[in-house]
Amino acid sequence: MLLDGKAFSEKVKSQLKNKVDKLRKNGIVPALAVIIVGDDPASKIYVKNKKKACEEIGIYSAEYAFKSDITQEELLEFISDLNGNKEIHGILTQLPLPKHIDPLIVAESISPAKDVDCFNEINIGKISSGRAKIFPCTPAGIIELLKENNIKIEGKACTIVGRSNIVGKPLSLMLLNENATITVCHSKTENLKAFCKQADILISAVGRPGLITEDMVKEDSIVVDVGINRLSSGKLCGDVDFDKIIGKAKFITPVPGGVGPMTIAMLMKNLVILAEEFTKR
Ligand code: NAP
């Protein structure tokens, strides 16, 4: 069966719209600042999709586009101004950034109270201590999609392939908080197949088409494909051999239409939470 992230993300967004309406009635217009540096075509599409989601639910979005020769200092100064702007509740910088700008330093420069992507070390640390109010969007989207489809996480063997700071690492912590048993694999993992094959829930977040083949997947398992890869034909695909694995897995996410739309819905959810928190200050 398909884990339909597109359909569920629409449901999440309509629930969020009610919250946005309530905030607006109380004089707060939830607002997102989106910073884009350079002219990477994929980044432009991601930013467009995020702005469209904002429009759908009544969030104001402001786009700030900079040429790729902006210095790190100039960018940090701009973010510092946004941190102090009371009309803005969330700030994100679209990745990737040009090589001369350190994404970790940029993530740390965004106030934890406006860190809508949840990349800041303080917000990541709160996941570990169980005090988090917002969560990194892709891992949060995966967990909500599993829960929406009544997939039990507690006690299950979860294998995550990929250990990036935005997907694999925070997801491992969040699934651990859900009482799953976690294995995290990466490019240095020996015998990847054995770790994948033992998984009740297998999540691939690598960015390599065809990495996860049918023989690596346990019968009746849950397969979540985070990868987004563009083939030379122009077609989008994930990391998983979807056509072969769909007959073997119990549930599988499509690409596109699985994790991607959930990521954007969770971004909207974080923004609404940050705006609600703002009203309490
Ligand atoms: P990333 O930072 O490049 O990390 C990739 C991870 O994959 C690394 O941990 C790397 O290991 C591991 N890896 C590379 N080759 C491997 C191999 N042969 N076997 C096992 N592990 C391997 O990527 P990311 O930002 O997490 O993104 C991963 C993919 O997800 C990309 O396709 C991206 O476009 C997609 N993505 C999708 C969404 C969505 O909303 N659907 C959101 C974010 C990302 P090392 O750590 O050892 O290098």
Side-chain angles (χ1 to χ4, degrees), residues 15-251:
Q15 288 162 355
L16 289 172
K17 189 172 184 316
N18 294 335
K19 293 193 170 194
V20 171
D21 289 346
K22 204 170 152 197
L23 282 162
R24 280 179 168 260
K25 274 189 194 125
N26 291 325
I28 306 285
V29 179
L32 173 67
V34 181
I35 299 171
I36 178 165
V37 182
D39 45 21
D40 175 46
S43 292
K44 283 185 180 168
I45 294 172
Y46 289 132
V47 165
K48 197 175 121 206
N49 291 342
K50 289 170 187 176
K51 289 176 69 184
K52 186 168 160 268
C54 286
E55 260 171 49
E56 279 168 26
I57 63 174
I59 291 173
Y60 171 77
S61 69
E63 181 180 336
Y64 301 99
F66 294 101
K67 294 207 171 117
S68 53
D69 62 358
I70 185 174
T71 66
Q72 180 165 292
E73 289 65 35
E74 285 166 336
L75 185 60
L76 295 182
E77 209 176 303
F78 186 77
I79 291 172
S80 166
D81 285 346
L82 286 176
N83 281 338
N85 182 338
K86 291 194 163 50
E87 310 289 314
I88 295 288
H89 305 101
I91 305 168
L92 72 82
T93 45
Q94 183 61 46
L95 298 178
L97 289 164
K99 285 203 165 55
H100 64 279
I101 299 178
D102 183 337
L104 287 178
I105 293 178
V106 171
E108 287 316 295
S109 74
I110 295 175
S111 158
K114 296 193 178 188
D115 174 30
V116 68
D117 269 327
C118 194
F119 288 168
N120 188 292
E121 286 168 4
I122 290 178
N123 286 327
I124 292 290
K126 283 183 181 175
I127 301 173
S128 179
S129 63
R131 293 176 58 240
K133 293 207 163 109
I134 56 166
F135 296 89
C137 304
T138 303
I142 292 168
I143 291 176
E144 290 214 9
L145 191 57
L146 295 176
K147 288 184 175 173
E148 170 69 9
N149 287 277
N150 297 316
I151 293 166
K152 191 174 171 221
I153 301 174
E154 182 167 302
K156 297 298 175 193
C158 294
T159 295
I160 303 167
V161 189
R163 57 173 167 182
S164 71
N165 287 342
I166 63 171
V167 187
K169 272 187 206 159
L171 179 61
S172 66
L173 204 49
M174 290 162 69
L175 286 171
L176 187 61
N177 288 347
E178 298 285 340
N179 295 321
T181 303
I182 318 298
T183 303
V184 182
C185 303
H186 44 78
S187 67
K188 307 287 184 289
T189 297
E190 290 178 6
N191 201 357
L192 179 66
K193 180 176 168 180
F195 292 112
C196 292
K197 190 113 197 178
Q198 73 185 20
D200 300 312
I201 303 176
L202 172 63
I203 297 142
S204 183
V206 173
R208 213 175 255 220
L211 178 73
I212 307 295
T213 50
E214 187 192 356
D215 58 330
M216 297 166 85
V217 173
K218 185 161 106 177
E219 192 93 31
D220 282 337
S221 59
I222 315 296
V223 179
V224 176
D225 194 350
V226 182
I228 302 177
N229 309 293
R230 195 169 287 279
L231 300 173
S232 52
S233 62
K235 198 178 157 224
L236 279 187
C237 75
D239 296 343
V240 167
D241 189 349
F242 181 88
D243 290 342
K244 296 226 172 81
I245 292 174
I246 191 167
K248 191 171 187 185
K250 189 170 181 189
F251 281 101

